[in-house]
Amino acid sequence: MEESNTSLNTSLIYFFRNERTDIEGRMLDDILKFTPDKIENCHNFMQWIFPTKEKSDYNYYAPIIDDTFKETFQNDKLAKSNFCKSCQLYLNYIGFQCNNRNIICKPNSQMFHELPKHNLLRITRMLNSLNQIGNSKCSKQLYKLLRQETDLHPYKINDTTLHYWRLTQDEEVNNKNILLGTIAGNIIGSVYKFYPTKNIDFQLFSDSSYFTGDTVMTVANVDWLITGDSLLGIMQDYGNRYNNVGYNRKFLEWLNADEPRPYNSNDSSSATRISPIGWAFDSLEETLKAAKQSAEVTHNHPEEIKGAQTIAACIYWARINKSKQEIKEYIEAIFGYNLDKTCAELRYYHYHDTSFQRTVSKSITAFLESTDYESAIRLAISLGGDTDTTGAITGGIAEAYYKEIPLKIREEIIKRIPDEFIDMLQKFYNKFIKK
């Protein structure tokens, strides 16, 4: 007969009081004496020292806690003190130490990313357990240190692990609360720039799907709109910190210049970073003014400025619920773009055309023919050319118009962008959209 959850909760409290054994006959004091080799090679103690609300996939007899356990535990000083000792045991093993609930890196210690990979799953359990028994402050401290170490060694921890760690902090971004349209289109399109397809039924994500400079500069514009600091300085800062993401030669020269000046380019990148501007202002006049300011930092070619303003205007009109026909007519009348060609015609006649004017018209046409966010991205990628750019532009407009992105896409994007970007996007949402 299975032991009731109430009975298991009681047993666990006694276990943490060092008054009862676990299912293997070990007292907590026995576990606290584990050597590093024992910690590494014993696989049935973690579920006892870091219990969670979820059933373990690896240990059938592992305890499962509930809110009753949490309340009892939080009122038992001895159990809480011994739990802290359990935390210290494992923290020491993965390269940290805790003094008076202040977690720090342990000098000259082997770090978690140098240990066998199953320790990454153990860390996820530890983060969850800390939250679920009421020690969320410690969970946040540990998570912050983990991310700091991961940023120093970015290739040691994979995106899936980072995703699950974020989940323990409720950082799946309440993920409907940030704008991801441009970034999702950019990441999905990044692969097909080198492996083009005319088929709309392509695979959305692969191991090679990654953000490019279009995403970095979009976040830089978000930062500018939030802080009001120098956009030039912000773009150089982000660009030099994220400098291996496919920038073209002219932009790299601009990034590294002591006195950077706009370089009269006509390469379409000013329009890819413009999407947050379409959300930030209450009038078209303000939107167009800010779009011009953003473009001119690097691109003072008249077509680039017009293109940036066109896309910002599209997003502005889409978010205030103008119809597709109204948006098409406005773009043709105000900015002079010809949007009469269909996606099928563009795919046939202009598949390899990467000119700025054609990139803008392709991106808008893909949105106009779409039925939802995903179909917009699929159409944009199928039109060929600079697909990470068309994906980004189309994605920004489609998000503003359809007001949602499929959860499966949002989750994949969150896995692929730095926490810094997520934090900035959340601040933007709170300041400009959650009004």
Side-chain angles (χ1 to χ4, degrees):
M1 180 181 294
E2 292 190 5
E3 195 173 3
S4 71
N5 200 50
T6 300
S7 179
L8 281 172
N9 280 332
T10 303
S11 296
L12 193 56
I13 290 291
Y14 284 126
F15 171 75
F16 279 114
R17 289 180 59 85
N18 208 42
E19 295 173 358
R20 186 175 295 183
T21 66
D22 67 6
I23 199 72
E24 301 295 327
R26 298 171 299 211
M27 301 291 284
L28 178 60
D29 273 354
D30 296 327
I31 294 174
L32 294 178
K33 295 174 184 175
F34 276 10
T35 63
D37 283 345
K38 185 74 170 176
I39 292 172
E40 179 57 45
N41 295 306
C42 182
H43 302 290
N44 60 8
F45 76 99
M46 289 292 291
Q47 300 87 355
W48 280 84
I49 66 170
F50 298 126
T52 67
K53 295 180 178 180
E54 294 77 35
K55 181 178 175 59
S56 171
D57 292 331
Y58 305 101
N59 187 345
Y60 177 80
Y61 298 104
I64 302 172
I65 63 173
D66 57 19
D67 289 337
T68 302
F69 171 85
K70 177 180 176 180
E71 182 178 354
T72 305
F73 175 83
Q74 288 297 326
N75 289 308
D76 192 314
K77 290 183 180 180
L78 179 58
K80 287 174 65 176
S81 175
N82 285 336
F83 177 79
C84 288
K85 292 177 183 177
S86 301
C87 292
Q88 290 168 357
L89 173 77
Y90 192 64
L91 285 171
N92 285 332
Y93 181 66
I94 61 174
F96 301 106
Q97 61 189 41
C98 182
N99 297 313
N100 297 320
R101 301 190 73 179
N102 182 36
I103 303 172
I104 59 174
C105 289
K106 188 177 175 182
N108 304 317
S109 176
Q110 187 178 41
M111 295 302 295
F112 62 92
H113 49 73
E114 301 172 292
L115 295 168
K117 297 299 183 185
H118 68 93
N119 283 286
L120 302 179
L121 295 173
R122 290 173 161 186
I123 290 171
T124 304
R125 167 172 278 274
M126 183 177 184
L127 290 168
N128 267 327
S129 182
L130 284 164
N131 280 327
Q132 292 175 10
I133 69 169
N135 286 13
S136 59
K137 180 180 177 182
C138 294
S139 180
K140 291 184 186 304
Q141 274 192 45
L142 176 56
Y143 175 75
K144 183 177 180 180
L145 284 172
L146 290 166
R147 289 315 316 252
Q148 288 174 358
E149 282 297 312
T150 301
D151 289 344
L152 292 174
H153 307 279
Y155 303 108
K156 297 283 182 114
I157 304 297
N158 63 37
D159 291 332
T160 301
T161 295
L162 295 178
H163 166 66
Y164 283 112
W165 287 353
R166 286 191 196 112
L167 283 175
T168 69
Q169 306 300 304
D170 291 327
E171 283 193 9
E172 200 39 21
V173 178
N174 287 321
N175 76 51
K176 56 189 176 193
N177 286 345
I178 63 173
L179 299 177
L180 291 173
T182 294
I183 296 172
N186 173 238
I187 291 175
I188 293 169
S190 63
V191 174
Y192 296 98
K193 182 175 183 175
F194 305 102
Y195 303 97
T197 177
K198 294 183 179 181
N199 192 335
I200 62 172
D201 295 321
F202 55 82
Q203 181 178 334
L204 289 175
F205 297 99
S206 73
D207 290 342
S208 301
S209 301
Y210 199 69
F211 66 86
T212 75
D214 296 336
T215 287
V216 177
M217 290 302 119
T218 296
V219 177
N221 271 255
V222 164
D223 194 325
W224 170 56
L225 291 166
I226 293 170
T227 64
D229 294 340
S230 163
L231 179 56
L232 187 153
I234 292 171
M235 287 174 60
Q236 280 205 310
D237 172 53
Y238 277 84
N240 281 296
R241 286 190 292 115
Y242 298 94
N243 57 10
N244 190 26
V245 288
Y247 300 125
N248 62 40
R249 180 181 57 80
K250 285 186 176 180
F251 188 77
L252 281 172
E253 290 174 355
W254 180 89
L255 274 182
N256 294 309
D258 292 331
E259 296 182 7
R261 299 181 183 279
Y263 45 88
N264 200 40
S265 177
N266 187 20
D267 65 8
S268 78
S269 59
S270 68
T272 61
R273 64 186 185 229
I274 218 73
S275 61
I277 290 173
W279 288 89
F281 300 98
D282 294 327
S283 71
L284 180 62
E285 181 181 7
E286 292 174 292
T287 300
L288 297 182
K289 180 181 177 181
K292 184 174 185 289
Q293 289 175 321
S294 174
E296 286 179 332
V297 174
T298 52
H299 295 70
N300 54 350
H301 191 288
E303 282 297 324
E304 276 279 346
I305 294 171
K306 183 180 81 169
Q309 290 181 314
T310 300
I311 301 308
C314 277
I315 292 170
Y316 171 78
W317 285 321
R319 78 171 173 88
I320 63 171
N321 301 317
K322 295 297 182 182
S323 69
K324 288 183 178 179
Q325 184 59 35
E326 287 175 311
I327 293 172
K328 179 177 183 292
E329 290 172 358
Y330 290 154
I331 294 301
E332 290 177 328
I334 297 174
F335 297 104
Y337 282 95
N338 182 345
L339 300 175
D340 286 340
K341 282 189 169 59
T342 65
C343 282
E345 291 171 323
L346 290 169
R347 197 178 292 117
Y348 185 81
Y349 291 108
H350 303 286
Y351 190 72
H352 299 289
D353 191 341
T354 60
S355 68
F356 179 69
Q357 294 85 348
R358 188 62 65 192
T359 297
V360 170
S361 61
K362 280 182 179 181
S363 302
I364 298 173
T365 301
F367 155 68
L368 292 173
E369 289 193 19
S370 67
T371 55
D372 55 21
Y373 179 86
E374 183 176 333
S375 71
I377 296 300
R378 290 186 177 279
L379 283 168
I381 302 306
S382 75
L383 298 181
D386 207 357
T387 53
D388 60 328
T389 297
T390 53
I393 296 173
T394 302
I397 304 169
E399 179 180 41
Y401 184 83
Y402 294 113
K403 307 295 190 290
E404 63 179 2
I405 298 174
L407 181 61
K408 64 181 181 181
I409 293 178
R410 300 185 76 89
E411 289 180 341
E412 288 292 333
I413 298 307
I414 293 302
K415 294 179 188 178
R416 289 171 164 81
I417 59 176
D419 281 0
E420 177 186 14
F421 291 7
I422 296 171
D423 292 343
M424 195 58 65
L425 292 165
Q426 189 71 63
K427 290 176 182 176
F428 183 85
Y429 177 88
N430 292 339
K431 181 171 183 174
F432 292 104
I433 302 173
K434 187 181 177 182
K435 297 179 180 178

